[in-house]
Amino acid sequence: MKYSISVAGRVLLTGVMAVLAGCGGNGKVTVSPTKYRLLEIRGYTYSGTTPTQTSRQSFSYNSGNEPETVIYFKGKGANGAWGDNDDVISYYVSCAYSGKMDVGAYDLESEIYDGLNSLFTGFGVALGGITQEDVSRSCASNYNNQSALTMKLYNGPGADGVWKTADDAVLATINWKMPGTAADSEVTVTAPSVTGYTATTTLHDNYAFSNGAIRDLVRPGYYRHYELNPQNRPTRISMYSYSGPFSAWLSRNAASDLRLEHTDFSYGTNDVVKCHYDLMGMPTDASRDVIVNGLLSERQRFDAGLDLTPCTGDDAVTYLEGFTFEKAQ
């Protein structure tokens, strides 16, 4: 079976660490962690078994190893080659952090993704090909438990025609913060440049922990339910709707909650397979992360195959992302 680890259409991207063992002078084995940071993501579409690169994402970092700028390239430029200064920029995201929490967001990318729902659901066409998935994961990669994050989404080079200068066009601003407690957070989205999007949208999350194996990320009207294995990795993530006030969520009638969708995860020695199911429990898409030397190498997405059913053995790769990491500075 071939299967990315996107959840409900999103990609979960976290910081990755490889552990190297060495020998000390006392004869004992010492373990020294080497941290890596994401440098580049390359996107490929497939015609049969032939891949064609269609995009590139480039990450730059601040002195604290948090992503500072994520640039999305849509073309390889006049020289016909990817990976150089000639590549054509589509848009970019800047990331600014402040404060530090002892306990950070459990699933920052999902929080940002959900905070963007009103913008992308109602005005996605006006965003000119910018994806909710890419925006939400940009500053969330290698996130380091800050108490606040400000993201700015730039979609034009401004009057001077030059990208990454002071007059670049800001399409949207996304602010995420924890208002003083690790059990509560909020996402505020403003997009004055998007025609019709006049209101500022603020969404709150609440973290509820049933026990070490179950966690919930709650918003008014719905929540994500995380089932975790002993290694603290998800085995199933479900989205539920519920009735009643947000403040009284912990006393909800769980039996009446409606599961809207869920994603099942299975772990091999060097890969993670994911299958996503809809409201009726029918599989809708399948994906697979390939791990090489402890680092994410490929994220593969699949079609339904000849049997027209996702998550079965005849699925074929339709899109692939290749990841490049570097040692953190």
Side-chain angles (χ1 to χ4, degrees), residues 76-259:
K76 52 190 174 183
N79 68 359
W82 285 99
D84 54 29
N85 292 332
D86 186 52
D87 291 356
V88 180
I89 295 177
S90 175
Y91 61 97
Y92 69 94
V93 178
S94 68
C95 317
Y97 309 86
S98 62
K100 196 70 174 288
M101 299 288 292
D102 291 334
V103 179
Y106 173 64
D107 189 355
L108 176 61
E109 186 179 336
S110 288
E111 294 186 41
I112 295 174
Y113 184 97
D114 290 347
L116 292 167
N117 279 344
S118 62
L119 175 62
F120 277 84
T121 300
F123 304 93
V125 174
L127 303 182
I130 298 174
T131 68
Q132 187 171 356
E133 174 183 25
D134 281 342
V135 174
S136 64
R137 76 176 176 179
S138 56
C139 299
S141 62
N142 290 24
Y143 173 73
N144 196 23
N145 290 352
Q146 285 76 15
S147 60
L149 162 67
T150 298
M151 303 170 58
K152 289 189 177 181
L153 174 58
Y154 296 85
N155 70 328
D160 64 4
V162 180
W163 286 95
K164 299 191 68 181
T165 57
D167 72 338
D168 289 357
V170 179
L171 181 66
T173 300
I174 304 102
N175 288 295
W176 175 88
K177 66 177 181 179
M178 286 188 170
T181 170
D184 186 32
S185 65
E186 67 180 38
V187 181
T188 302
V189 180
T190 58
S193 298
V194 178
T195 303
Y197 192 85
T198 56
T200 295
T201 301
T202 300
L203 293 178
H204 284 268
D205 280 317
N206 183 270
Y207 297 88
F209 301 89
S210 300
N211 55 54
I214 298 175
R215 300 177 183 175
D216 295 296
L217 180 65
V218 188
R219 281 212 168 113
Y222 68 95
Y223 62 96
R224 299 186 195 284
H225 182 71
Y226 296 81
E227 300 174 44
L228 309 173
N229 64 17
Q231 290 73 44
N232 206 34
R233 298 186 295 184
T235 56
R236 173 171 290 184
I237 302 177
S238 304
M239 175 78 82
Y240 287 87
S241 64
Y242 70 94
S243 58
F246 176 54
S247 60
W249 178 83
L250 290 175
S251 61
R252 76 197 191 287
N253 178 10
S256 67
D257 296 348
L258 175 65
R259 187 168 69 186

Side-chain angles (χ1 to χ4, degrees), residues 265-277:
F265 298 78
S266 60
Y267 299 88
T269 303
N270 294 304
D271 66 356
V272 182
V273 174
K274 181 271 305 184
C275 190
H276 178 240
Y277 298 83

